[in-house]
Amino acid sequence: MRTSEGVWSADHVRLQRGGTLKQARIVWKTYGTLSPKRDNVILYPTSYGAHHTDIEWLVDVRHCLDPSRYFIVIPNMMTNGLSSSPSNTPDFPQVTTFDNVMLQRQMLVELFGIDRLKLVYGWSMGAQQAYHWGALFGEAVERIVVNCGSAKTAPHNFVFLEGIRTTLQAAATPQQGLRAMGRIYAGWALSQTFYRREMWRGLGFDSLEDFLVRSWEANFLRRDRDDLLAQLFTWQHGDISANDLYRGDLQMALAGIKAKVLLMPSATDLYFQTDDNREELPHLKYGKLVEIPSVWGHRAGNPRDNPEDAAFIDAQVEALLND
C-alpha cells in the first residue's frame, strides 16, 4: 500500500472564537493513489484523543476504506498532540470543529489540488467533523458517514464531558487525573451488557481491574492532559450551525447539506444516542439512518477488535460508496 505523510502549515490563522494561531499545523497521512481526475478522495478525520495511527486499521483492502480503490487522507485534529495543540504550541487558543474543517479544506486544496470529496468518514468527534464538512462545503462533498456522532453535542453528552473535565482539573497530578479519566470513560464508552457478559475477557484481560488499568488507564496516559482538555472544549461546543452561514439555526444547517448522509449510531451508545440522529434525519435532503446492532456501546463505531461490528459497518459504507 502506498502511503505518504507530512506536516502542512498556515500562518496567522484567525480562529472562530477570536484567537489567532501564528502558525497552524496539521500532521497528515495519505493511503493509496490519487486518481488523475482527483475523484476518489476519502477524508477520514481523527476522533477524541486519537492519532492517525489509532484509526488507520480501517484503511485496508479488507475494509470499506480500501486504499487500492481510494485515496484516503487522515488529517490529525488540532489539540490531539500531533497537529497544533497546547503541548506543542505556546498560549494555545480555543479551537472549534469549524476551525479544524476550514483548515483541512485549505490543506487539501494547497497540497493535493483536491476540491471535491467522494466521502468524509468519521467516528465520534470525527463524525462531528464529517457533519461540518457536509454543512459548510455543500457541493464539494458527495457523501458523509456520521458514525456514532451528531450535528450538535447533546446536553447529556456535554454533562458527561463536564465530569471528565472536572476530574482532570481537580486531580493532584496530571497522571492521577488521566488514570481517573480512564476509569470514568470505561463506564461510558461500553455498554452495561458488555460488562455483564465480561466481554473484556475476549480482549485478553484476566480481570476487570486488569482491563481498567491496561486498557483504559494506559490509553489516556499516552496523552497530554492539556491537549485532552482542549479537545474536550472542541467536543462540547460541536455544532454545525454555530457559524455565520447558519447563525445557530440547526434545522437550516441540516437542510443545507447536499451530500448523501449515512447516520450510523450504535444501539447501546451512552452519549451519542440514536435519538439524536432520529431528530436530525427528517431535516436531511438525502439521509439514511442505520443503527449498529451492538452491545459494544460507543466503541461499536470503532470496532478494531470486534469483527462482527466491523463487517456491519463495512457493508453499510460500501453500499453508500456504490450508490
Side-chain angles (χ1 to χ4, degrees):
M1 175 175 59
R2 180 179 178 182
T3 65
S4 181
E5 54 192 308
V7 182
W8 172 85
S9 63
D11 294 333
H12 305 293
V13 175
R14 298 186 66 180
L15 301 172
Q16 187 182 28
R17 297 181 73 89
T20 301
L21 278 170
K22 292 182 179 179
Q23 185 182 69
R25 299 179 306 281
I26 295 179
V27 174
W28 55 269
K29 186 171 180 179
T30 66
Y31 312 75
T33 302
L34 182 62
S35 65
K37 294 183 179 180
R38 294 179 169 82
D39 59 357
N40 67 333
V41 182
I42 295 177
L43 190 73
Y44 183 19
T46 56
S47 51
Y48 182 72
H51 293 173
H52 62 274
T53 50
D54 297 308
I55 65 169
E56 64 182 357
W57 66 270
L58 190 61
V59 182
D60 192 293
V61 295
R62 297 166 295 181
H63 290 296
C64 55
L65 305 188
D66 180 353
S68 71
R69 299 177 61 193
Y70 305 112
F71 182 66
I72 298 139
V73 183
I74 301 184
N76 285 271
M77 282 188 72
M78 289 190 291
T79 70
N80 83 337
L82 293 180
S83 296
S84 295
S85 306
S87 63
N88 59 35
T89 305
D91 301 317
F92 189 80
Q94 294 173 331
V95 300
T96 63
T97 308
F98 176 92
D99 294 323
N100 274 282
V101 299
M102 294 300 287
L103 282 171
Q104 290 166 14
R105 171 80 159 154
Q106 184 181 347
M107 181 193 79
L108 289 175
V109 172
E110 291 185 2
L111 275 184
F112 306 109
I114 293 169
D115 59 8
R116 185 172 177 83
L117 298 175
K118 189 175 187 70
L119 171 71
V120 184
Y121 176 97
W123 170 66
S124 195
M125 281 191 82
Q128 292 183 312
Q129 291 169 79
Y131 238 146
H132 275 73
W133 266 91
L136 293 172
F137 302 129
E139 300 291 346
V141 183
E142 297 177 15
R143 303 166 183 83
I144 65 172
V145 172
V146 177
N147 183 349
C148 297
S150 62
K152 181 178 180 179
T153 298
H156 190 253
N157 196 338
F158 187 97
V159 171
F160 153 60
L161 297 172
E162 277 296 283
I164 299 296
R165 183 183 64 80
T166 54
T167 295
L168 287 174
Q169 292 176 332
T173 67
Q175 289 71 28
Q176 288 179 359
L178 293 169
R179 291 182 188 279
M181 176 184 183
R183 288 178 178 260
I184 295 170
Y185 226 102
W188 281 87
L190 294 159
S191 76
Q192 294 92 336
T193 303
F194 177 94
Y195 285 104
R196 186 181 306 115
R197 295 179 183 174
E198 297 186 349
M199 294 174 70
W200 39 265
R201 293 188 184 277
L203 300 175
F205 298 95
D206 298 328
S207 66
L208 180 58
E209 179 67 11
D210 184 34
F211 180 52
L212 294 176
V213 172
R214 289 201 296 121
S215 179
W216 288 98
E217 289 187 11
N219 182 56
F220 288 112
L221 283 168
R222 299 179 304 160
R223 303 294 179 239
D224 179 89
R225 181 193 65 174
D226 291 336
D227 291 348
L228 293 172
L229 283 168
Q231 204 162 23
L232 278 179
F233 175 89
T234 304
W235 181 348
Q236 285 186 307
H237 294 85
D239 181 353
I240 65 170
S241 69
N243 51 67
D244 292 338
L245 184 61
Y246 298 112
R247 302 179 301 281
D249 189 329
L250 184 60
Q251 292 185 9
M252 182 192 297
L254 290 165
I257 296 174
K258 297 179 175 63
K260 296 176 180 178
V261 182
L262 174 60
L263 300 173
M264 196 161 43
S266 163
T268 51
D269 198 328
L270 297 177
Y271 45 92
F272 283 110
Q273 291 202 308
T274 302
D275 280 350
D276 297 330
N277 291 156
R278 287 195 184 104
E279 291 189 5
E280 296 159 358
L281 183 63
H283 306 290
L284 295 169
K285 286 185 174 68
Y286 310 104
K288 179 181 179 181
L289 191 155
V290 181
E291 190 176 64
I292 306 170
S294 177
V295 300
W296 282 68
H298 186 61
R299 294 306 297 268
N302 185 38
R304 182 182 56 190
D305 303 311
N306 177 6
E308 183 177 355
D309 290 347
F312 182 91
I313 290 170
D314 283 339
Q316 297 298 326
V317 176
E318 286 168 4
L320 177 68
L321 284 165
N322 293 325
D323 184 4

